[in-house]
């Protein structure tokens, strides 16, 4: 059977730059940072005090007020973003075959805030006072399951968990489910709620977070800049609707971009560091292009993983050079994390939303805080200002702790 074609028809996100996809895109396109000092808890003893946190988030957009307590924030973020994505795609849920519609949504960590809070309950009040919602709130598959329940999606329904590559793995597997004919439509992406005392302390102990710009938070995330000193922890969700091309055309859906290829590899090197030279990441990009039959010279832009850590950014730069050869010097590269921080398991999905807007509108958003060039980061990172461009094909990268590498290729719909 010929491989079916897959397109993006719906977008939904909540992140530090906005609580809807259009709001987020407008702020990111204009180079505005959503990063601020953490307001959730006392940061006095934390070396890093800046985060990409949601502000004015209202879960009742998607959940009845009396039900909010049943869900960890990572589930609520996903439900709100999913509601936007489903509405954006314009599908009449009564008219589709629900047995051929799926929910594939990952999380790198799951319900961490619930674990921290309920542990305190256990210590102070004993086991009989633990919430009956505890287990359903912490499961990494809970977001995928709740979306499936809310919209009656009875096809493929599961979660991915591969640290910072989680969202892209979820998207890639949803793409393949549709392409191979298992389902016609998927609500898919990633979600994360990790701005908690324990998580911040853990990443601080790992010395992974930026500490230099605590008094100027908007300057803290600076991917590929020589002065980068660590990433900024972010939170939120990115949920997209993927759909088989003819299924979308039959109902007159607006199409943002075509999903063309997916590649995934492992570094098999170190649990927290990428392999030197970025060979695993390079192979993921190459496999994604091969999977989609995409000539590397037709790729115009890469939405990079671009974390703002010294080692990751130079390694990803080397990987891009290995994957594209001489064409690397003709590529535009930018990092969404410069404005929303690192959403861990949600990052790949939130970033693919921005890449989809780039394809649709012919605009590449900037990498902000590009002030001093690094000889080991020598590509065109679209510094500080957006750029108009006709984008044939775009690669989106996600590289996760554990050596997980995942890349997607999206682009204009080929006739």
């Amino acid at each position: 059977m010929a491989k079916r074609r897959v397109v993006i028809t719906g977008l939904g996100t909540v992140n530090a730059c906005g609580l809807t996809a259009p709001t987020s895109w407008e702020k990111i396109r204009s180079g505005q940072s959503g990063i601020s000092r953490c307001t959730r808890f006392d940061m006095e003893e934390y070396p890093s005090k800046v985060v990409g946190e949601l502000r004015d988030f209202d879960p009742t957009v998607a959940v009845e007020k009396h039900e909010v307590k049943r869900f960890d924030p990572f589930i609520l973020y996903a439900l709100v973003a999913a509601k936007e994505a489903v509405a954006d795609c314009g599908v009449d849920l009564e008219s589709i075959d629900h047995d051929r519609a799926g929910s594939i949504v990952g999380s790198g960590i799951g319900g961490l805030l619930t674990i921290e809070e309920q542990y305190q309950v256990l210590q102070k009040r004993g086991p009989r006072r633990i919430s009956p919602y505890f287990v359903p709130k912490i499961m990494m598959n809970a977001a995928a399951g709740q979306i499936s329940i809310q919209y009656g999606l009875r096809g493929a329904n599961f979660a991915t968990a591969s640290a910072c590559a989680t969202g892209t793995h979820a998207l890639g597997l949803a793409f393949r489910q549709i392409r191979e004919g298992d389902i016609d439509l998927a609500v898919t992406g990633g979600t994360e709620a990790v701005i908690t005392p324990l998580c911040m302390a853990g990443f601080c102990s790992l010395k992974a977070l930026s500490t230099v710009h605590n008094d100027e938070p908007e300057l803290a995330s600076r991917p590929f800049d020589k002065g980068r000193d660590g990433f900024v922890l972010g939170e939120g969700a990115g949920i997209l609707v993927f759909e088989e091309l003819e299924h979308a055309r039959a109902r007159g859906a607006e199409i943002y971009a075509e999903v063309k290829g997916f590649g995934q590899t492992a570094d098999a090197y170190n649990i927290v560091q990428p392999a030197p030279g970025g060979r695993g990441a390079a192979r993921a990009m190459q496999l994604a292009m091969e999977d989609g039959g995409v000539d590397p010279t037709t790729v115009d832009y890469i939405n990079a993983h671009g974390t703002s850590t010294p080692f990751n950014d130079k390694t990803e730069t080397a990987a891009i050079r290995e994957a594209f050869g001489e064409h690397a010097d003709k590529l535009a590269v930018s990092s969404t994390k410069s404005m929303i921080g690192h959403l861990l398991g949600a990052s790949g999905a939130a970033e693919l939303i921005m890449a989809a807007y780039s394809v649709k509108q012919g605009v590449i958003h900037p990498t902000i805080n590009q002030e001093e060039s690094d000889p080991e980061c020598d590509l065109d990172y679209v510094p500080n200002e957006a750029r108009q461009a006709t984008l044939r094909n775009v690669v989106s990268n996600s590289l996760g702790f554990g050596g997980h590498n995942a890349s997607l290729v999206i682009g204009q719909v080929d006739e």
Side-chain angles (χ1 to χ4, degrees):
M1 185 179 71
K3 291 180 178 178
R4 305 193 313 165
R5 296 169 65 185
V6 182
V7 292
I8 302 170
T9 57
L11 307 176
T13 185
V14 292
N15 59 69
C17 276
L19 301 179
T20 67
T23 301
S24 301
W25 168 244
E26 288 304 316
K27 192 167 182 177
I28 288 166
R29 184 175 68 172
S30 63
Q32 298 179 58
S33 176
I35 293 167
S36 61
R37 284 181 70 95
C38 183
T39 64
R40 301 282 172 79
F41 45 90
D42 184 3
M43 299 297 294
E44 181 64 28
E45 296 186 24
Y46 289 78
S48 178
K49 306 180 192 302
V50 299
V51 292
E53 68 182 17
L54 302 191
R55 292 178 288 278
D56 302 318
F57 175 72
D58 179 9
T60 63
V61 168
V63 176
E64 294 292 335
K65 186 175 182 180
H66 69 276
E67 292 187 323
V68 169
K69 67 179 181 181
R70 295 172 51 199
F71 304 113
D72 184 88
F74 92 101
I75 305 170
L76 294 170
Y77 297 165
L79 288 171
V80 170
K83 183 172 182 179
E84 180 188 12
V86 170
D88 185 47
C89 83
V91 68
D92 177 5
L93 289 173
E94 298 300 319
S95 68
I96 67 170
D97 183 347
H98 287 233
D99 292 335
R100 295 187 56 79
S103 171
I104 303 171
V105 178
S107 180
I109 293 179
L112 184 58
L113 181 63
T114 295
I115 293 172
E116 292 184 38
E117 290 177 342
Q118 290 297 297
Y119 180 74
Q120 293 299 317
V121 171
L122 177 66
Q123 293 298 301
K124 295 175 181 178
R125 303 174 67 187
R128 293 181 182 274
R129 302 310 297 268
I130 293 295
S131 169
Y133 302 122
F134 173 64
V135 172
K137 288 172 71 171
I138 68 170
M139 302 185 307
M140 288 188 187
N141 62 307
Q146 291 293 349
I147 290 170
S148 169
I149 291 166
Q150 187 161 82
Y151 298 104
L153 311 179
R154 298 190 297 265
N157 173 218
F158 59 89
T160 56
S162 50
C164 313
T166 293
T168 299
H169 273 127
L171 297 167
L173 295 174
F175 160 64
R176 288 188 172 172
Q177 287 275 321
I178 298 171
R179 188 177 68 177
E180 301 305 320
D182 294 328
I183 55 177
D184 299 320
L185 178 149
V187 180
T188 180
T191 184
E192 206 79 270
V194 288
I195 300 178
T196 73
L198 184 59
C199 194
M200 281 291 293
F203 278 113
C204 283
S205 293
L206 196 59
K207 300 188 186 305
L209 302 182
S210 173
T211 60
V212 172
H213 295 284
N214 285 329
D215 294 329
E216 298 176 293
E218 68 280 0
L219 303 180
S221 185
R222 42 197 322 109
F224 306 107
D225 184 75
K226 189 174 182 180
R228 67 192 185 278
D229 74 307
F231 73 83
V232 173
L233 194 63
E235 64 179 354
I239 303 293
L240 301 88
V241 175
F242 281 8
E243 195 167 349
E244 192 271 327
L245 175 61
E246 296 309 320
H247 189 275
R249 282 177 168 167
R251 62 182 188 83
E254 178 183 5
I255 294 171
Y256 288 94
E258 181 172 1
V259 186
K260 299 184 178 182
F262 172 53
Q264 54 185 330
T265 66
D267 284 345
Y269 173 71
N270 184 279
I271 199 67
V272 295
Q273 289 187 357
R279 177 58 185 152
R283 284 181 53 240
M285 287 182 267
Q286 291 166 336
L287 289 172
M289 290 184 284
E290 291 172 9
D291 185 49
V294 173
D295 185 325
T297 63
T298 67
V299 174
D300 300 302
Y301 166 53
I302 294 178
N303 186 295
H305 188 57
T307 60
S308 186
T309 60
F311 201 59
N312 177 89
D313 291 1
K314 71 177 184 180
T315 303
E316 188 174 10
T317 298
I320 292 168
R321 287 206 167 278
E322 180 168 341
F324 287 91
E326 293 181 358
H327 185 64
D329 290 315
K330 300 178 182 179
L331 288 166
V333 180
S334 69
S335 172
T336 310
K337 292 181 181 71
S338 63
M339 289 165 277
I340 64 174
H342 193 348
L343 277 58
L344 304 187
S347 59
E351 289 157 15
L352 195 76
I353 288 171
M354 302 309 143
Y357 274 124
S358 290
V359 172
K360 183 74 172 176
Q361 298 185 12
V363 177
I364 301 171
H365 77 66
T367 307
I368 67 168
N369 299 320
Q370 285 279 291
E371 295 177 353
E372 186 175 3
S373 62
D374 182 342
E376 294 185 289
C377 297
D378 57 355
L379 298 173
D380 175 7
Y381 302 111
V382 193
N384 301 312
E385 293 185 3
R387 183 181 302 168
Q388 298 286 330
T390 299
L391 301 176
R392 295 165 292 177
N393 292 301
V394 171
V395 169
S396 181
N397 288 334
S398 292
L399 319 174
F401 279 7
H404 309 292
N405 307 299
S407 296
L408 281 163
V409 181
I410 67 172
Q412 296 182 9
V413 179
D414 298 324
E415 297 301 332

